[in-house]
Amino acid sequence: MRPSQSTARVILHALCRMPMMLSAACLAFVAHDAFAQLAPNQTQGFGNGRIVTFTYQQNFDCVDEPTLDLDFNGMPAQTDPNEMQTPICQVVTETQRDPAGGDLKHTAHLYVLVPMFGNDTDPKDAMDCPPGPTRPGEFCGVDLGNELISIFGFIPEAWKKTPSVKTQCPDPNNPVPGTCTMHASSVDLSVLLAGTRTADGGSIPNPPTMPIFVPTPNHSHVIDNSRVNAGAIWWEVRPVLVMDQSDWPAADGSSGITSSRMMDAAEAAGRAVEVGSNFFLFFSSTMNGSGMRHAMH
């Protein structure tokens, strides 16, 4: 007699708790089971070598301040109403305060792991623009692919339609490239790429003269050990550009960067680069009751 799906699930959970039975099949089951339980307003992350679940309570915010000029038109935001009409989520640029008005020095950090490695040189493999309105001049699809190849020599896994590594965003409930629940669907790379040389011998303006909008990259998350169980708060998005595929976290958390300590080690070794942003997300965090714990955290 074939066991029911629920009975089979109980059996497999029990087998996976037995050290001798901790096979690749068990690891795959744990990862799939965790994903299957996510609500539409949830994503996963890593903390203290474990999988954690984020529950988003409201939409993102990309903070602008009176004296900033995020669109580089020569006018500070306080006298530029147009700058208020399009959210500009700018990598590198940081504000003094978070969306609640708190001092940024005391705001929780969400480390967003971005896979910057790869070897794909086909521009057609780059992300299309997410559904809906796009930012003015946003690079998507083949245009995005050609620009990335010109800058990096390949399309980083971060902006591939179908990356070769598992990422926590796009979220599994709505796996549309360039999107993730309650996130912005575009980011501005103008400050990050300022002064970068391109394959044609040119360079990206430094200082920037306009935003460089691209779809939100494929990414995963890490939070500090002290925040793995936290109520709903604002978190500053701190992109971490991961250069070495060996550092990329497995979906089940069994390898790669799954804690801030491991992330710091990769940064110290020159295999990852951390920057700030004016991008904030609002969510609570809960450590999962099951799943692998990375031994080296």
Side-chain angles (χ1 to χ4, degrees):
M1 177 177 168
R2 183 179 179 182
S4 67
Q5 184 177 9
S6 59
T7 302
R9 185 174 296 273
V10 171
I11 293 171
L12 192 45
H13 264 305
L15 290 175
C16 287
R17 293 193 187 100
M18 299 172 64
M20 296 300 291
M21 298 298 293
L22 196 56
S23 63
C26 290
L27 297 180
F29 169 78
V30 169
H32 177 271
D33 194 47
F35 277 130
Q37 295 174 10
L38 291 177
N41 67 326
Q42 292 180 324
T43 64
Q44 290 185 331
F46 297 107
N48 199 21
R50 296 281 294 273
I51 295 174
V52 294
T53 297
F54 302 152
T55 303
Y56 299 83
Q57 309 289 342
Q58 63 185 58
N59 64 303
F60 72 92
D61 196 357
C62 291
V63 174
D64 204 343
E65 292 181 330
T67 59
L68 292 178
D69 180 19
L70 296 182
D71 59 2
F72 309 110
N73 67 351
M75 299 172 61
Q78 59 196 3
T79 56
D80 184 9
N82 286 336
E83 190 169 317
M84 300 292 101
Q85 308 313 308
T86 299
I88 302 176
C89 303
Q90 201 165 86
V91 178
V92 178
T93 299
E94 294 186 86
T95 53
Q96 297 183 45
R97 298 190 176 277
D98 64 27
D103 190 325
L104 191 66
K105 295 177 182 177
H106 306 301
T107 304
H109 289 168
L110 172 65
Y111 307 106
V112 171
L113 305 183
V114 182
M116 294 301 294
F117 46 83
N119 54 22
D120 191 329
T121 56
D122 186 346
K124 296 191 296 295
D125 291 339
M127 285 182 185
D128 295 320
C129 281
T134 59
R135 305 289 192 272
E138 182 167 359
F139 288 98
C140 307
V142 172
D143 289 341
L144 173 62
N146 285 327
E147 290 295 324
L148 292 171
I149 293 168
S150 175
I151 295 169
F152 300 107
F154 58 90
I155 301 172
E157 297 293 323
W159 284 284
K160 286 183 61 176
K161 294 177 188 176
T162 308
S164 64
V165 292
K166 295 293 185 181
T167 61
Q168 293 163 338
C169 280
D171 58 285
N173 286 301
N174 185 40
V176 178
T179 70
C180 202
T181 182
M182 307 308 288
H183 288 47
S185 58
S186 297
V187 294
D188 172 21
L189 303 184
S190 58
V191 180
L192 177 70
L193 297 178
T196 301
R197 303 288 295 181
T198 56
D200 61 5
S203 63
I204 295 173
N206 186 19
T209 56
M210 61 185 298
I212 300 176
F213 290 118
V214 299
T216 295
N218 303 312
H219 63 271
S220 291
H221 315 98
V222 169
I223 57 176
D224 290 309
N225 293 355
S226 61
R227 303 277 191 179
V228 293
N229 290 299
I233 54 174
W234 282 108
W235 305 69
E236 180 197 0
V237 170
R238 296 189 61 81
V240 178
L241 312 180
V242 179
M243 311 300 182
D244 191 327
Q245 186 167 348
S246 66
D247 287 317
W248 194 255
D252 60 15
S254 60
S255 62
I257 297 173
T258 58
S259 71
S260 56
R261 181 177 176 182
M262 298 178 72
M263 180 191 73
D264 290 342
E267 291 174 11
R271 302 192 309 272
V273 177
E274 179 183 339
V275 295
S277 78
N278 70 329
F279 189 178
F280 297 84
L281 291 167
F282 190 83
F283 60 86
S284 60
S285 175
T286 305
M287 179 174 283
N288 287 13
S290 62
M292 291 292 296
R293 178 168 183 167
H294 199 322
M296 297 179 60
H297 64 279

